[in-house]
Amino acid sequence: MPSFQTSPGTRDILPPHAGRWRALTDVFADTVQSAGYECIIPPMFEDLGVFLRLGEATDVVTKEMYDFVDKGDRHIALRPEQTAGVCRAFAQHRPVTPWKVWYSGPNFRYEKPQAGRYRQFDQVGVEVLGSDDALLDAEVISLAWQFFARLGLAKVELVVNSLGDAPERGAYIDALRAHFESRRGELSEESAATLARNPLRVLDSKRPADAAAVASAPRISSFLSAESASHFAAVLAGLDALGVPYRVNEMLVRGLDYYRRTTFEFVSLSLDGAQNAVGGGGRYDGLVEDLGGPATGGVGFAIGVDRTLLACDAEGVFGTGAVGIDAFVVDVTDGMAALRLTEDLRAAGYTADRAFDGRSMKSQMKAADRSGASFAVIVGADEAAAATCTVRDLSSSEQVTVPQSGLVAHLAATLGTRTPRRNPR
RNA sequence: GUGGGUAUAGCUCAGCCCGGUUAGAGCGCCAGGUUGUGGCCCUGGAGGUCGGGGGUUCAAGUCCCCUUACUCACCCCA
């Protein structure tokens, strides 16, 4: 056993897996940047108070916060998600609205790790601040939908709901509390405990014992104001217009208290585990105001990178093969030719690698094969004496000897020219 | 925070129940077979304080206790 290992709930993302993470982020960035979203990089830690706005009753705040006191006696927390930080940034800098941003990066929650759940976990997401337009909600949702589609995921279901604006939400919570209190005896022990903290959360209990009480609970739809109802109808109409399939589920309650009106969640039907939500979001009007800014509408979503990749594995999509390089230079003389030729190839825009430590030709050829290179460029004693090199096509095994000075031109004839990275020597 | 499972080579795992010479396999890695050529094949090699600590015993990878880590589930969430 090595002296040190990764801390609980963290892990090394090694190659080639790390390349797949980058590829996923690239797909996401391309998707949302096509819609005018710009990248934002908020800090990974902030004043604890920023995150307390996520809700006093949420587990994220009460028991999962990764917090500490720094050397300046500031009470700091590693961000458990990015929405609050983005809203804090909005309140601090007051950008022109609507402010459309996207992000990618790690978040931290002090939880017990299990499949698809880590203490440090990555999310990609978007936030839009400064608009109440229901069709913006539809755009935001459809961007996430398009992202999953571009990865090749087919078994992802979109679930939507409206929790109403603050007053309706409050009235609904009161009604729920009254309902469940009157049936407290029917509830499971866990749900009875949850009821005291947050009646909304009892709604999405999956315990069979709670089924009857949940089924007879009041529905949010009968509490919605005319404005909230028409907002929700417009969101659904927008999704219809875009051809995004969805299922309305009035039991959909999301974990953070700041959601108002639109809420949604993406569930992977190919993940059987408990962690099958690959993304979620909603509208959070009022959060900016809570953080000391002006009253500002906001909507966004976050997608879990780990779980999305788990879903890709389950569906057998978005596999990223080894990247392979253009050429691998094999040099069985003193290595100087390989040193120069790889540099020349790279300068000309090709990807090139070589072997070190003066290994045998057989060994270097094995390395060339393993590198996934299209060509091996071989320099033995004969080539070195004649200032030539033998270019071997590693898939067809055909090879031809060309002058070293003509190597780049020779590759250009088969691989095409590349954009030079720097001036050739 | 609560409960179950696991821990032996770089990786995946046998061996443990029923304690007994130098702890194994496959894959991977290195080398040779082919002194100038990869994949397939053959041969060989390197690589282990059997997670850590304590106990029982003539003897512990194997039995007992403690501990740590990992893992799965609950809770909750991405």
Side-chain angles (χ1 to χ4, degrees):
Chain A
M1 274 298 135
S3 302
F4 295 105
Q5 297 183 63
T6 47
S7 289
T10 68
R11 73 268 193 237
D12 298 310
I13 311 294
L14 302 173
H17 198 194
R20 196 177 180 216
W21 276 56
R22 282 194 51 173
L24 180 142
T25 306
D26 288 346
V27 170
F28 184 76
D30 186 67
T31 301
V32 298
Q33 288 187 163
S34 79
Y37 291 73
E38 296 181 287
C39 183
I40 182 173
I41 307 176
M44 290 192 204
F45 58 85
E46 304 233 14
D47 191 288
L48 175 69
V50 171
F51 304 118
L52 295 182
R53 301 305 189 279
L54 303 180
E56 314 268 330
T58 64
D59 280 14
V60 169
V61 167
T62 56
K63 63 176 196 182
E64 296 170 2
M65 201 64 76
Y66 231 118
D67 64 325
F68 58 95
V69 175
D70 75 6
K71 293 177 181 180
D73 277 333
R74 285 172 286 260
H75 199 166
I76 300 296
L78 303 184
R79 65 185 183 203
E81 49 105 65
Q82 305 208 38
T83 304
V86 170
C87 288
R88 192 269 313 140
F90 181 89
Q92 182 174 337
H93 303 290
R94 304 292 178 89
V96 173
T97 59
W99 199 44
K100 301 170 74 172
V101 295
W102 70 271
Y103 56 76
S104 145
N107 305 299
F108 307 86
R109 292 181 195 175
Y110 197 89
E111 299 181 274
K112 199 142 178 183
Q114 68 186 75
R117 191 175 73 184
Y118 303 94
R119 286 184 178 175
Q120 176 178 330
F121 62 102
D122 262 56
Q123 289 182 331
V124 293
V126 305
E127 313 290 351
V128 186
L129 290 164
S131 170
D132 291 323
D133 196 329
L135 295 185
L136 171 61
D137 301 21
E139 172 183 289
V140 163
I141 294 170
S142 90
L143 283 173
W145 183 260
Q146 287 164 31
F147 169 63
F148 290 126
R150 284 185 61 182
L151 294 178
L153 290 171
K155 296 177 182 168
V156 170
E157 184 182 50
L158 167 61
V159 183
V160 296
N161 190 24
S162 175
L163 291 174
D165 216 335
E168 306 135 45
R169 193 175 188 274
Y172 180 54
I173 290 174
D174 290 342
L176 273 183
R177 181 179 288 113
H179 169 78
F180 286 124
E181 285 291 356
S182 71
R183 293 165 162 266
R184 175 176 279 276
E186 300 174 28
L187 291 177
S188 64
E189 200 174 316
E190 293 90 342
S191 287
T194 304
L195 177 57
R197 299 199 313 274
N198 190 342
L200 272 181
R201 297 233 54 86
V202 180
L203 270 188
D204 65 354
S205 163
K206 292 154 199 129
R207 284 173 285 273
D210 300 325
V214 169
S216 61
R219 298 304 183 98
I220 180 66
S221 52
S222 54
F223 285 76
L224 294 184
S225 66
E227 289 78 5
S228 291
S230 73
H231 183 97
F232 190 43
V235 173
L236 300 184
L239 292 175
D240 289 335
L242 293 171
V244 176
Y246 58 85
R247 182 167 63 84
V248 175
N249 178 4
E250 291 197 54
M251 302 303 168
L252 175 65
V253 174
R254 300 200 35 80
L256 304 172
D257 284 353
Y258 54 57
Y259 286 114
R260 299 284 181 273
R261 299 197 277 187
T262 312
T263 60
F264 55 91
E265 189 166 275
F266 293 91
V267 176
S268 168
L269 304 176
S270 51
L271 294 179
D272 336 312
Q275 271 67 43
N276 63 356
V278 292
R283 189 162 267 288
Y284 44 85
D285 308 332
L287 182 54
V288 171
E289 200 172 358
D290 283 348
L291 289 163
T296 305
V299 60
F301 65 75
I303 289 169
V305 173
D306 305 275
R307 289 186 191 176
T308 299
L309 288 175
L310 285 176
C312 287
D313 290 339
E315 291 198 32
V317 299
F318 197 62
T320 50
V323 273
I325 55 175
D326 294 318
F328 190 100
V329 181
V330 171
D331 184 347
V332 290
T333 62
D334 62 0
M336 290 302 287
L339 186 68
R340 283 188 292 101
L341 290 173
T342 50
E343 176 62 20
D344 288 346
L345 289 168
R346 293 165 188 164
Y350 297 95
T351 51
D353 199 0
R354 55 160 302 196
F356 294 94
D357 302 316
R359 293 178 188 276
S360 68
M361 174 169 289
K362 174 173 178 147
S363 171
Q364 293 192 47
M365 285 300 292
K366 285 182 74 151
D369 186 51
R370 203 158 35 208
S371 75
S374 304
F375 294 93
V377 175
I378 303 165
V379 180
D382 296 346
E383 287 91 343
T388 60
C389 56
T390 296
V391 181
R392 180 180 177 90
D393 184 323
L394 287 174
S395 52
S396 70
S397 296
E398 291 168 4
Q399 62 184 44
V400 57
T401 299
V402 302
Q404 290 180 15
S405 58
L407 174 61
V408 167
H410 178 77
L411 286 185
T414 39
L415 293 172
T417 54
R418 300 285 168 80
T419 305
R421 289 193 173 83
R422 47 190 175 268
N423 293 330
R425 287 175 297 110

